[in-house]
Amino acid sequence: MSSTIKKVAVIGAGSMGHQIAMLAALGGYETTLQDISEQALAKARTQLEGHMDRWVQKGRLTDEQRKIAFTRLHMTTSIEEAADQVDLVIEAVVEKLDVKQDVFRRLDNIVPSHAILATNSSTIVNSKIAEVTSRPDKICNMHFFFPPLVMDCIEVVKSEKTSQDTTESVLAFCEQIDRKAILMEKEIYGFIANRLLFAIAKETLFLYEEGYADYQDIDMITKKALGHPLGPFELMDLSGIDVGYYANLQLYAETGDPKNKPAKSVVEKVKAGHLGRKTGKGWYEYPKKEKVN
């Protein structure tokens, strides 16, 4: 285990946060998952118990390893309790700059002076968040991919002020939780993977909205001709249509270029609350699985 990181806090128990916390616990770290919602924490525990039970059934984990991991994983609604004595905090709240800045501002006053603050933002560079803290040298991006328990990749992004010690500690942490870290020495909005995906999504939505092809057919040709495991519309549903929506809003706020605004069809989906798999409907519908007694 990394000698500089022993205790970890994850802020936000949503689709990303609870799985990141589980990875840390499995990696041997005392981990606290924090969310303002008791309901979100209860849902997170139920989902994680299901994931780990399946891992045991598949032989990926022993029952003893599962039990030990859960003894390391703690949950609380108090950000002070979660972050008071930690060495690393990973923020995984909504993809809105002002919300992340509020969280980091609070964390900066709670965590020890040596603690590293990382954001799981999929698009926003960490320097924009670091500016509200007193420790820009101890801040970086740790962008996990969805779902973190499956995806073996983390984009670690340095700003001009991120220290080498911070970088090395975070890279060692990634290795300890058995995830491949890709280090970006310079900041750029969207990093690597999402910039590639943005380019595909932009052209995808143009073809659809201009009536060149239906979204199912665009997904089909992307999979059949390009060999992608999911089509771009299926991917939007998986990651959450609102995630891309907020990313485009942030990019538009930074550039002022109308071309960076969310596509009309995406805006309509978000306004209707059709955000993809997590709401049961996005571009496609996802009927709830019936419980078997």
Side-chain angles (χ1 to χ4, degrees), residues 171-213:
L171 293 177
F173 172 82
C174 293
E175 184 176 357
Q176 180 65 26
I177 65 171
D178 196 27
R179 287 296 176 270
K180 176 65 178 176
I182 304 300
L183 178 63
M184 291 188 67
E185 295 283 355
K186 292 166 59 178
E187 293 183 313
I188 187 169
Y189 181 88
F191 320 139
I192 299 171
N194 274 328
R195 289 186 71 85
L196 298 176
L197 289 175
F198 288 162
I200 293 172
K202 187 173 184 178
E203 188 63 23
T204 291
L205 289 162
F206 168 78
L207 292 170
Y208 168 72
E209 291 187 355
E210 292 298 314
Y212 290 102

Side-chain angles (χ1 to χ4, degrees), residues 197 200-205 215 218-223 226 228 230-239 283-284:
L197 289 175
I200 293 172
K202 187 173 184 178
E203 188 63 23
T204 291
L205 289 162
Y215 66 89
I218 295 172
D219 274 353
M220 182 64 70
I221 199 165
T222 305
K223 291 185 287 186
L226 303 181
H228 291 204
L230 293 174
F233 292 97
E234 291 174 322
L235 188 58
M236 285 184 231
D237 276 1
L238 178 64
S239 59
W283 292 101
Y284 298 88

Side-chain angles (χ1 to χ4, degrees), residues 58-232:
K58 293 178 180 179
R60 295 185 60 186
L61 208 65
T62 67
D63 189 54
E64 183 65 17
Q65 288 172 322
R66 181 188 67 82
K67 289 177 181 176
I68 291 172
F70 275 108
T71 63
R72 296 192 190 107
L73 182 61
H74 317 284
M75 297 187 181
T76 180
T77 56
S78 168
I79 194 170
E80 290 81 9
E81 181 182 336
D84 185 35
Q85 298 296 324
V86 298
D87 307 301
L88 169 65
V89 180
I90 303 172
E91 164 272 311
V93 302
V94 66
E95 192 75 352
K96 293 183 179 180
L97 178 60
D98 59 338
V99 177
K100 291 181 184 295
Q101 286 178 330
D102 285 344
V103 170
F104 271 67
R105 193 179 287 110
R106 289 188 66 187
L107 287 170
D108 191 42
N109 292 320
I110 297 169
V111 302
S113 59
H114 72 274
I116 296 169
L117 302 180
T119 174
N120 180 52
S121 175
S122 58
T123 55
I124 302 170
V125 295
N126 68 82
S127 59
K128 289 186 173 295
I129 304 170
E131 64 188 27
V132 304
T133 76
S134 62
R135 62 183 81 205
D137 60 312
K138 294 180 174 65
I139 293 178
C140 67
N141 289 84
M142 288 181 69
H143 175 219
F144 291 74
F145 289 83
F146 183 79
L149 285 171
V150 175
M151 299 295 284
D152 179 22
C153 191
I154 301 172
E155 288 176 325
V156 176
V157 188
K158 295 171 60 178
S159 74
E160 291 182 355
K161 296 182 179 179
T162 305
S163 72
Q164 189 62 28
D165 284 346
T166 295
T167 304
E168 290 176 0
S169 294
V170 168
L171 293 177
F173 172 82
C174 293
E175 184 176 357
Q176 180 65 26
I177 65 171
D178 196 27
R179 287 296 176 270
K180 176 65 178 176
I182 304 300
L183 178 63
M184 291 188 67
E185 295 283 355
K186 292 166 59 178
E187 293 183 313
I188 187 169
Y189 181 88
F191 320 139
I192 299 171
N194 274 328
R195 289 186 71 85
L196 298 176
L197 289 175
F198 288 162
I200 293 172
K202 187 173 184 178
E203 188 63 23
T204 291
L205 289 162
F206 168 78
L207 292 170
Y208 168 72
E209 291 187 355
E210 292 298 314
Y212 290 102
D214 192 64
Y215 66 89
Q216 293 104 325
D217 292 330
I218 295 172
D219 274 353
M220 182 64 70
I221 199 165
T222 305
K223 291 185 287 186
K224 294 287 188 182
L226 303 181
H228 291 204
L230 293 174

Side-chain angles (χ1 to χ4, degrees), residues 3-18:
S3 59
T4 57
I5 298 174
K6 293 181 172 64
K7 292 187 176 181
V8 177
V10 178
I11 309 301
S15 58
M16 296 294 290
H18 73 284

